[in-house]
Amino acid sequence: MVRLAAQASTVGELEAMVSMCRACERLVRWREDVATTKRRSFADQPYWGRPIAGWGDERPTVVIAGLAPAAHGGNRTGRIFTGDRSGDWLFAALYRAGLAVQPTSEHAGDGQRLIGARMIAAVRCAPPANAPTPAERDTCSAWFSRELAMVLPSAKAIVCLGKFGFDQILKALVGMGFVLPQPRPKFGHAVEVVMAGTEQYDAVTVLGCFHPSQQNTFTGRLTEPMLDAVLSRAAELGR
Ligand code: SF4
């Protein structure tokens, strides 16, 4: 997988390669089963049912890193964070922060566009119960790391939605030659980790952010002002 991902020389090539991937047997079965069975409320819609590519600006100053597409969200619409409740929260906040042209993201042809930002997922296929196995996470990290390496030359801030994305970003950055500050940074909302530059890359700031899942937004663990604060900070770093 690492060798395959390394063959992509542009973000477009990488997207095309990712969309054909069938490396994780369990996830391929699940994403395709969901796309065939469908949720009743979407029964009249075609489902994407394939891996989700990164989406947004190809030279972003702000990168948004999530876990994986939702079964009836990105796995249905074909666009990351599009068509589910988490995405509703996230896109509204991106719009308020000046990082998206409209406050909603409902389907791939809705005119939504990110401004100086790009979304990537640590795992590209929808996993059962939103929980990829460690082996699936590690297999997909080849795509994740390759895309990160492509966008890092322009990136100033990386917003990690949830601990999973935070840990995967730090791991990928270390794999690219960055040195972790000590003591090892712990995930938390609005945590900022400045990763000093390397010979190849400039410094980049990693920001922790609670995931805008219903589990967090319904319980008040994540509020709109909290999400706005992190995305505004990322936008400020990106300027
Ligand atoms: S999760 Fe990643 S590595 Fe696994 S099948 Fe999907 S795209 Fe391929």
Side-chain angles (χ1 to χ4, degrees):
M1 288 293 293
V2 173
R3 276 206 308 276
L4 190 62
Q7 289 172 15
S9 55
T10 66
V11 169
E13 278 181 21
L14 189 73
E15 286 173 0
M17 291 165 84
V18 170
S19 71
M20 304 295 287
C21 185
R22 303 182 67 84
C24 307
E25 193 182 323
R26 184 185 80 118
L27 297 190
V28 170
R29 201 168 50 242
W30 171 255
R31 77 191 190 201
E32 292 178 355
D33 280 353
V34 169
T36 304
T37 314
K38 303 183 181 182
R39 179 178 282 169
R40 187 182 299 176
S41 51
F42 302 128
D44 60 341
Q45 297 183 19
Y47 270 55
W48 172 248
R50 289 163 62 182
I52 290 291
W55 180 71
D57 199 317
E58 292 194 6
R59 291 181 49 78
T61 56
V62 176
V63 176
I64 317 284
L67 164 59
H72 302 281
N75 190 54
R76 173 173 59 90
T77 62
R79 193 166 75 193
I80 187 168
F81 273 114
T82 295
D84 61 52
R85 293 280 170 80
S86 299
D88 292 347
W89 263 65
L90 181 59
F91 277 98
L94 287 167
Y95 176 72
R96 292 192 294 269
L99 294 169
V101 298
Q102 59 190 42
T104 58
S105 184
E106 292 170 4
H107 57 85
D110 61 4
Q112 178 61 284
R113 186 168 54 80
L114 297 182
I115 304 167
R118 186 172 185 83
M119 294 175 162
I120 58 176
V123 173
R124 304 306 174 104
C125 295
N130 291 321
T133 65
E136 290 160 352
R137 174 201 64 198
D138 292 347
T139 303
C140 210
S141 68
W143 299 124
F144 186 63
S145 296
R146 183 71 184 129
E147 185 158 10
L148 187 61
M150 286 179 169
V151 297
L152 210 50
S154 60
K156 305 287 182 220
I158 305 174
V159 177
C160 304
L161 301 173
K163 183 176 184 305
F164 190 100
F166 183 80
D167 289 344
Q168 286 301 101
I169 282 288
L170 293 185
K171 189 173 168 188
L173 290 175
V174 168
M176 294 162 67
F178 286 84
V179 176
L180 265 186
Q182 294 299 324
R184 185 188 172 83
K186 286 188 180 155
F187 174 72
H189 187 77
V191 160
E192 285 192 24
V193 183
V194 178
M195 302 291 282
T198 68
E199 279 187 15
Q200 195 176 353
Y201 301 106
D202 290 338
V204 64
T205 302
V206 176
L207 299 145
C209 183
F210 289 158
H211 194 286
S213 62
Q214 287 182 287
Q215 201 178 6
N216 286 335
T217 56
F218 274 14
T219 58
R221 185 167 187 249
L222 179 66
T223 63
E224 286 183 353
M226 288 168 68
L227 186 52
D228 288 351
V230 172
L231 292 178
S232 299
R233 174 67 177 144
E236 180 188 321
L237 289 165
R239 282 198 279 272

